[in-house]
Amino acid sequence: MTDHKQMIKNILEQSEKPPLCFLHSFGCQQNVSDGEKILGLLCEMGYGVTNDITAADLIIYNTCAVREGAELKVYSLVGNLKNLKKKNPGLIIGVCGCMAQQEKTVEKLKKSYPYVDIIFGTFALGELPRLLYKALTEKETAVDITEYNTDFPEDIRPVRSSSFSASVPIMYGCNNFCSYCIVPYVRGRERSRPPEAIINEVKELVSSGCKEIMLLGQNVNSYGKTLDEPISFSELLRRINDIDGDFRVRFMSSHPKDATKELIDTIVGCEKICKHLHLPLQSGSDRILEAMNRHYTAEKYLETVRYARSLIPDLSFSTDIIVGFPNEIAEDFEATLDVVRKVRYDNIFSFIYSKRTGTKAAVMEDVTPEEEKKERIQKLLEVQREISSEGFRRFIGRTLTVLFDSADDEGYCSGKSNEFIIVKAKADASVIGSFRKVKITKAFNWALEGDII
Ligand code: SAH
Ligand code: SF4
Ligand code: F3S
């Protein structure tokens, strides 16, 4: 144990009751996974975990910078903490993650929210013990947004929110610099974890009963390129598929420019890999795709989809779409709708473009009024609702494998099928955390319903 960890442990041991920490992660699964490791680190030092923010001695917001809305939410929540801090001056408040990695955030927090004790970026997660020690022993805000070239220590045991579904990062950072995106600036260049570390983690999870492994990376298709002994993502998938056990594997995200036939063939050939591909389209207009620096055309994207469907006719696709990129005109938006209608996604995550200072797109001229962008996103959602309600009907009468994850008050449990579609069925909570066969009887535009057989 490092000195700071031990010193914090000594301080915490003196308190009357075990101190509690509350952590909330915003943004993508990568961030949620970081949050689980931060909790692991805190538990090692003697903190207990609470979901009740008012009972916490340490509150950490692990933030996302991908859109302005995500940032505003954090400022508003941090603003709300002022009263808690007044009532309990010993409370330690931390802000970390992608938003904290930016200099402008540090300045704003220091100026307008001076009661924040710790600010640390995505590279400095492992520095938390040192920063926390500083916060516990000195008055000044402890800040670290250094771009360290080491990743989170491999030996930290994450505190996972689920015992049956686990996220496993396979790489960090991004080299793609899509012109709208802040991620490469706050997460740094692409680095891959060694395959042995990933495989050992998956084996351990599976032997402890985990049923679903989600492999994470900003562009999993470029996994392994920077390793001393490079291996492809497809090869990693095959090795994971060879691990014994009753579990399924998902991955995200897959950049369309790097989604190869080998990847599709691997999905076909590996029985543990879900027959679902999240392939972010962003736009269906070649002109906009070029301005976004995405390196593919709508036709190239559709070619990948066609190849995949020729091998797995029922493959489920989901995607991310940005509406209202600078100078997207009605014609560009129509091109997006056209691809959406051709692919017939089962699920779409759509976002109105949000200007991110420091990115290339931030200085592009943007003449489309916000109202028009809102109308476009409504139209996209409407088109998608029709597609999903029609598309979901293909499952009626069929039996899907569902991993149940929650129960409601009306006697239903729900979970996700291997196609990554929400399925609900009448069942008691004992099905949670296990695979069940469900015969589908009804299709909605957001989910399926059926009977466990
Ligand atoms: N690396 C992943 C996703 C990263 S962020 C990928 O490439 O797919 C998740 C999604 O947020 C992106 O796919 C994109 O649709 C959206 N996004 C990113 N930057 C955005 C911005 N400035 N405004 C609106 N949406 C954005
Ligand atoms: Fe952002 Fe593009 Fe990297 Fe995804 S691939 S994180 S959208 S820069
Ligand atoms: Fe957000 Fe950072 Fe993920 S900006 S989307 S939390 S990598």
Side-chain angles (χ1 to χ4, degrees):
M1 203 176 262
T2 60
D3 286 354
H4 286 108
K5 277 197 209 170
Q6 191 56 55
M7 290 191 293
I8 292 174
K9 223 175 169 186
N10 296 345
I11 296 177
L12 298 185
E13 271 165 9
Q14 288 161 22
S15 61
E16 288 160 30
K17 58 177 182 57
L20 297 172
C21 65
F22 169 97
L23 178 139
H24 185 77
S25 294
F26 299 85
C28 63
Q29 265 135 328
Q30 178 68 64
N31 227 34
V32 173
S33 163
D34 286 349
E36 294 179 340
K37 288 185 188 150
I38 297 171
L39 281 180
L41 192 52
L42 291 170
C43 288
E44 237 185 80
M45 293 186 282
Y47 280 94
V49 179
T50 178
N51 290 326
D52 175 6
I53 197 165
T54 60
D57 304 280
L58 166 65
I59 296 172
I60 297 185
Y61 283 127
N62 183 24
T63 61
C64 169
V66 83
R67 282 170 290 274
E68 193 188 15
E71 297 201 334
L72 295 177
K73 178 99 207 256
V74 169
Y75 285 124
S76 132
L77 288 171
V78 172
N80 292 345
L81 296 182
K82 194 173 181 179
N83 284 336
L84 278 183
K85 182 88 173 190
K86 249 192 210 149
K87 274 191 228 149
N88 173 13
L91 172 67
I92 305 277
I93 297 173
V95 177
C96 67
C98 294
M99 202 177 141
Q101 186 60 46
Q102 304 171 103
E103 194 71 57
K104 64 168 193 192
T105 309
V106 177
E107 279 164 25
K108 182 161 173 177
L109 286 171
K110 277 184 154 178
K111 187 162 163 266
S112 309
Y113 308 85
Y115 49 88
V116 171
D117 304 280
I118 312 173
I119 306 169
F120 56 115
T122 59
F123 298 88
L125 303 187
E127 295 299 310
L128 176 58
R130 179 176 57 78
L131 300 168
L132 186 55
Y133 181 75
K134 193 168 172 209
L136 286 165
T137 54
E138 296 170 24
K139 284 243 162 322
E140 223 177 293
T141 321
V143 181
D144 194 347
I145 58 166
T146 314
E147 290 194 22
Y148 294 102
N149 55 13
T150 47
D151 285 308
F152 211 91
E154 284 279 342
D155 59 344
I156 303 292
R157 296 193 78 80
V159 173
R160 298 184 190 272
S161 55
S162 160
S163 60
F164 52 86
S165 176
S167 295
V168 174
I170 62 167
M171 61 202 295
Y172 305 101
C174 183
N175 285 355
N176 290 306
F177 288 95
C178 302
S179 63
Y180 49 82
C181 185
I182 198 72
V183 173
Y185 301 90
V186 291
R187 290 262 170 192
R189 295 297 63 72
E190 203 172 276
R191 346 12 119 194
S192 294
R193 278 177 77 194
E196 299 75 27
I198 298 167
I199 293 194
N200 285 340
E201 187 173 347
V202 174
K203 278 186 179 162
E204 232 179 80
L205 283 163
V206 170
S207 65
S208 70
C210 186
K211 301 285 178 211
E212 179 175 73
I213 305 288
M214 170 71 103
L215 305 173
L216 298 180
Q218 296 299 346
N219 175 12
V220 290
N221 296 332
S222 61
Y223 171 77
K225 288 185 182 154
T226 52
L227 289 169
D228 292 341
E229 286 177 45
I231 84 160
S232 69
F233 179 54
S234 296
E235 176 58 23
L236 179 73
L237 281 178
R238 288 191 288 267
R239 290 196 202 172
I240 292 175
N241 189 66
D242 285 343
I243 297 172
D244 282 336
D246 179 26
F247 69 101
R248 69 185 186 189
V249 180
R250 312 185 169 290
F251 55 86
M252 67 187 303
S253 278
S254 199
H255 196 306
K257 79 176 163 65
D258 301 315
T260 56
K261 288 191 168 164
E262 190 197 2
L263 174 72
I264 310 288
D265 296 343
T266 308
I267 299 175
V268 178
C270 294
E271 73 287 356
K272 294 192 176 93
I273 299 177
C274 288
K275 304 303 177 245
H276 161 244
L277 192 54
H278 182 70
L279 202 59
L281 170 69
Q282 312 300 0
S283 169
S285 153
D286 291 346
R287 196 179 71 87
I288 297 293
L289 285 170
E290 197 177 341
M292 285 177 161
N293 194 31
R294 290 290 285 178
H295 297 282
Y296 54 86
T297 59
E299 183 47 34
K300 155 95 180 22
Y301 183 98
L302 287 168
E303 228 172 76
T304 308
V305 172
R306 281 194 292 263
Y307 178 72
R309 288 242 167 92
S310 73
L311 299 179
I312 322 169
D314 216 24
L315 185 66
S316 169
F317 280 96
S318 59
T319 201
D320 292 350
I321 291 178
I322 296 177
V323 172
F325 183 80
N327 273 335
E328 179 194 74
I329 55 170
E331 214 178 315
D332 299 308
F333 178 62
E334 281 304 320
T336 298
L337 291 181
D338 186 50
V339 177
V340 167
R341 289 189 181 109
K342 283 182 175 140
V343 179
R344 308 190 63 76
Y345 295 101
D346 283 323
N347 205 355
I348 283 185
F349 301 89
S350 50
F351 313 100
I352 291 187
Y353 167 74
S354 169
K355 183 168 160 174
R356 306 285 67 208
T357 309
T359 63
K360 286 236 167 77
V363 290
M364 292 180 189
E365 192 195 7
D366 187 5
V367 291
T368 317
E370 210 52 30
E371 263 322 294
E372 206 165 319
K373 295 185 180 187
K374 285 187 186 149
E375 280 167 26
R376 283 181 198 166
I377 204 163
Q378 285 312 323
K379 172 79 189 162
L380 173 63
L381 291 171
E382 204 180 292
V383 167
Q384 181 52 33
R385 265 195 299 272
E386 264 175 46
I387 292 175
S388 345
S389 55
E390 255 179 59
F392 284 0
R393 283 206 281 273
R394 73 188 187 276
F395 294 109
I396 292 178
R398 285 173 40 189
T399 300
L400 302 183
T401 304
V402 178
L403 178 59
F404 282 96
D405 56 34
S406 55
D408 67 14
D409 300 333
E410 285 150 25
Y412 282 91
C413 284
S414 43
K416 293 260 173 68
S417 73
N418 286 351
E419 295 74 16
F420 212 38
I421 296 170
I422 299 172
V423 178
K424 53 182 224 160
K426 271 231 169 340
D428 64 55
S430 64
V431 299
I432 292 175
S434 64
F435 290 118
R436 296 294 163 113
K437 299 275 183 213
V438 179
K439 183 151 189 200
I440 304 301
T441 53
K442 275 190 206 158
F444 309 99
N445 60 18
W446 57 277
L448 298 167
E449 188 179 323
D451 301 317
I452 296 182
I453 52 172

